[in-house]
Every structure is written in C-alpha cells, then in structure tokens.
Amino acid sequence: MRSLYPPTRLLLGPGPSMVHPRVSAAMARPIVGHLDPFFLRLLDDVQARLRTVFRTANRMTLPISGTGSAGMETCLANAVEEGEEVVIGVNGVFGTRMCEVARRQGGNVVVVEAPWGEIIDPDDMRRALAQCRKPAIVALVHAETSTGVLQPVEEISAAAREKDALFLLDTVTSLAGCDVEIDSWQVDLCYSGTQKCLSAPPGLSPVTVSERAMAKIGARKSPARSWYLDLGLLGGYFGGERVYHHTAPIAMVYALHEALCLVEEEGLPERFARHERNHLALIAGLSVLGLDAAVAEGSRLPMLNSVRVPEGLDDAALRGALLHRHGIEIGAGLGSLAGKVLRIGLMGESSTPENVRRLVTALCAELSRLGCPADTEEALAECDRVY
Ligand SMILES: *Cc1c(COP(=O)(O)O)cnc(C)c1O
C-alpha cells in the first residue's frame, strides 16, 4: 500500500461512528506546536465545551490522549490506591474491563453482577457496600455498549456518597447521545470517548474529575502507577501553567473541537431527541423482520440497539453480506451474547432516518437471501409510523 484508499463504509456498529465532513476537514488543517498560543486557546475552548456536554463545572476536565480505555485507566490509576476496595457493577464487557484495570492498579475489586442485558440492581449494590470495610470507589457503566443497556445512576451514586466513596461513571457511549449530568448526579470521575456519540475519530478520551476526587488524588500516599496518565502532572499542561508533559495530539484536538461545535449547533436536547427517534424507528422496522429487541423496554440504549438473532440464522453470514454487498458495518454479540444478538449503533452522525431506512432495506434483502423472507415495504412503513 503506497497510498491509502479505505473503503467507504456506513458505520452502524458499536463505534466508531460516522464522522462529519467538517470534522475530517478540521483534522487536515496545519499542525501547530502544542505550546503555540493558538493551540492553547483552542485547548481552553475544548475544555470549556467538554464541561458543557458533561454538564459540569469541574476544573479538571480534559481530553486524555488515547481512546476510551485510556480514560478508564486514567480514572482508576489516579483514584485507586493499593488495597482499597473498588466496587464495580458488571453486566457486560466494559464493567468486566474496569475490574481488570482496577486490579492492575492494586485495587481490591468487589464485583456486583447482573445478567448481561439487564441493569445493576441498586439493592444489590447497597448490599455489597454494606459488606465493605471502607469502599473507596463505586463504579458503573452508564451505557453498556456490549449489551445495549442504559444504567440508571442516581440511586447508586447516592449509595456511594452515603459510604463516603467516590462515584465513577463510564459515559463512553452515552455522552452526547443521551442525558449525562455529571454535577447533578454527583459523579466524581467520568470518562468518555470521541468515536461514539461525539462522532469524531477514535483517539481522545474526554475525562472530568470533581474537586472531591482531586482532593483524594492529591493526598495519595504513593504516586499514581501511570506516569503518562498522572492527573497531577497532566494538570500542569491542562491547568493554568501550560507546561509540557507530553505532546498533545494536535489534529485529534482539532477534530474534537469541530465535533463539539457541531454538538453545540444542534443543541443537546435536540441531539438526544434525534437519537431516541431514530432508535424507536429502527426497533419498529426490525420487529417486522423478526429481529426483536434483546433488552427490555425502559432499559434500552438509544444509540446501541441489541436485537436477537432469529433461530437458525447465521449472524456472521448476515454481517458479512451487509459489509461486502452494502458497505454497512454492524456489530456482533460479545461474550455470552456471541451469536445471539446483533448490535446496531446509531451514534452521533450515524443516527439519521436515511441510515435507518438504508439498513432496514439492506437487512430485508440479505435476510431473504439467507432464507428468512422479509417484506421491505412493510418494514419501512413501520419505521415511518414512528417518524
Ligand atoms: C467503546 C467503549 C469503551 C472503550 O473505548 P475504546 O475507545 O475502545 O478504548 C469503554 N466503555 C464503553 C461503554 C464503550 O462503549
């Protein structure tokens, strides 16, 4: 490969999502230095815009260099000290990943489980907290992308506070796609990602940390085990002094800035309503095709739709046909849901009525080819009823 011509895909999987041409164009602008006055002003603006989408006044709000998992590691590497109890809700891949990361940071992980596809029960969390000696952190995944479940957070946040524990929330998939309220939900540590509902390429992880969490971090007995993700050191660059720590990924910051401008232009409530509407239309259309929602109504994510694979259907063949014959990417089930569900993302720029129709039409064609006849007109009419 001497020069790069990637295929044009319609990205309707669990991320990355489609990128607006304005965001791609921003990335191609001239690179400046990471201490250039222009870039420092841009960073200020990005940090202010992140506070707006996180709905927080947290001073420590910054784009971590790395994908969502780097944000996860930032929160845990800074907040967890050797031997501390970290209570984590696990009902999918990303809760499981948090446990692994917290253990590597020396945490004594207490797992509160729910079946994949269901929410973490606040009563289970309270029971687990009652049995802890001194829980330091309670952690949840707001939008479990591996299953399509939206986790209610306020009750568990309150339970964490009663125990004087910090509350950590993964909003990688939810941020800019549905309601996220860092300050009013009393979230102390939160990380997200650029390639889901923010609709920029993967590469940055917006993180926000409360003063309460920064006080705990400032009082650590030993330095954070990660130098690269040390919030104290990062605060030297992202705070007031602007001293060099590591070279900021300039073009990615351009992209995030443009993506945040697009979010502002649309408006958060309007953006959430768009995600909800397209989700409802997709679920309505798919039910005609025999692809039923895998998550109970009331717990479904608007940006990640898990639907059951009908008995006898080869889901890998279906996904392959969508990709190779229609240029559409959707996601497979993971872990205990492998082969059982399809995961269809309608995140950020990907969430449009046109994309819903294009996917439903393509699915009808491929399901018919695979021996599950489907009526395109009827399915599209069902989508249109929602619109
Ligand atoms: C995608 C995702 C992550 C991990 O993000 P990467 O960008 O893949 O590192 C973490 N949590 C959730 C809920 C996600 O959807």
Side-chain angles (χ1 to χ4, degrees):
M1 283 194 190
R2 306 188 61 173
S3 191
L4 213 54
Y5 295 96
T8 305
R9 305 290 194 206
L10 176 57
L11 298 172
L12 302 181
S17 56
M18 297 304 282
V19 172
H20 194 283
R22 267 173 56 187
V23 173
S24 307
M27 294 191 79
R29 304 243 163 85
I31 299 301
V32 297
H34 56 282
L35 295 173
D36 191 294
F38 165 81
F39 188 72
L40 296 179
R41 258 194 298 128
L42 181 73
L43 257 189
D44 277 336
D45 197 46
V46 166
Q47 291 178 266
R49 287 174 182 279
L50 286 176
R51 289 184 192 101
T52 304
V53 293
F54 273 128
R55 308 268 299 144
T56 184
N58 287 341
R59 191 178 47 85
M60 187 58 93
T61 301
L62 71 170
I64 291 290
S65 306
T67 64
S69 305
M72 181 190 290
E73 199 139 290
T74 301
C75 292
L76 291 165
N78 285 277
V80 177
E81 287 200 75
E82 187 71 42
E84 282 183 337
E85 286 167 317
V86 184
V87 187
I88 304 179
V90 177
N91 55 351
V93 167
F94 294 105
T96 307
R97 183 175 299 183
M98 262 205 261
C99 295
E100 175 64 20
V101 174
R103 277 189 204 104
R104 288 183 188 215
Q105 296 299 337
N108 172 12
V109 172
V110 177
V111 177
V112 178
E113 276 184 293
W116 288 35
E118 294 177 24
I119 63 165
I120 305 292
D121 184 340
D123 288 330
D124 290 343
M125 185 57 86
R126 270 190 285 266
R127 268 190 290 277
L129 285 172
Q131 281 171 8
C132 286
R133 193 174 42 80
K134 192 184 177 313
I137 296 167
V138 171
L140 284 181
V141 177
H142 187 213
E144 224 339 320
T145 323
S146 63
T147 62
V149 166
L150 180 66
Q151 175 70 41
V153 299
E154 284 175 276
E155 227 183 306
I156 293 179
S157 167
R161 209 151 259 257
E162 262 166 46
K163 285 289 191 173
D164 208 25
L166 295 178
F167 181 56
L168 190 166
L169 191 64
D170 173 324
T171 63
V172 175
T173 283
S174 50
L175 191 70
C178 65
D179 210 15
V180 170
E181 295 280 347
I182 295 307
D183 285 358
S184 79
W185 294 348
Q186 301 199 300
V187 178
D188 293 296
L189 299 135
C190 177
Y191 59 90
S192 189
T194 43
Q195 79 275 24
K196 314 245 170 142
C197 292
L198 285 169
S199 255
L204 289 175
S205 174
V207 163
T208 187
V209 184
S210 71
E211 291 301 328
R212 201 162 86 103
M214 286 309 291
K216 178 182 191 293
I217 292 167
R220 286 182 67 99
K221 291 189 271 306
S222 59
R225 286 187 187 179
S226 171
W227 179 87
Y228 194 70
L229 302 174
D230 183 319
L231 282 171
L233 299 177
L234 288 169
Y237 179 64
F238 289 95
E241 303 148 67
R242 301 301 192 185
V243 294
Y244 166 70
H245 174 257
H246 69 271
T247 310
I250 308 293
M252 269 311 301
V253 177
Y254 292 171
L256 175 57
H257 182 263
E258 196 64 30
L260 289 167
C261 288
L262 286 162
V263 171
E264 186 196 21
E265 286 165 29
E266 180 173 16
L268 284 175
E270 291 78 10
R271 195 174 177 91
F272 301 160
R274 169 167 64 84
H275 280 85
E276 184 67 20
R277 204 167 45 245
N278 292 321
H279 152 70
L280 293 175
L282 178 70
I283 292 295
L286 294 185
S287 68
V288 174
L289 310 183
L291 300 173
D292 295 320
V295 173
E297 207 172 342
S299 297
R300 292 175 193 160
L301 287 177
M303 67 290 285
L304 193 285
N305 302 273
S306 276
V307 295
R308 276 182 224 293
V309 175
E311 200 66 50
L313 180 76
D314 179 349
D315 80 298
L318 178 62
R319 284 182 289 104
L322 281 176
L323 187 68
H324 296 113
R325 299 168 59 88
H326 303 267
I328 303 177
E329 178 180 280
I330 66 169
L334 296 177
S336 63
L337 298 176
K340 297 196 180 126
V341 302
L342 298 169
R343 292 182 305 143
I344 301 168
L346 293 174
M347 301 178 175
E349 291 298 314
S350 298
S351 176
T352 68
E354 296 69 37
N355 291 345
V356 168
R357 290 201 184 90
R358 197 174 140 191
L359 175 65
V360 167
T361 306
L363 275 170
C364 285
E366 294 312 323
L367 283 169
S368 299
R369 210 184 295 276
L370 290 167
C372 303
D375 185 334
T376 316
E377 293 309 312
E378 199 190 330
L380 290 176
E382 216 34 60
C383 298
D384 283 340
R385 247 189 285 280
V386 173
Y387 293 125

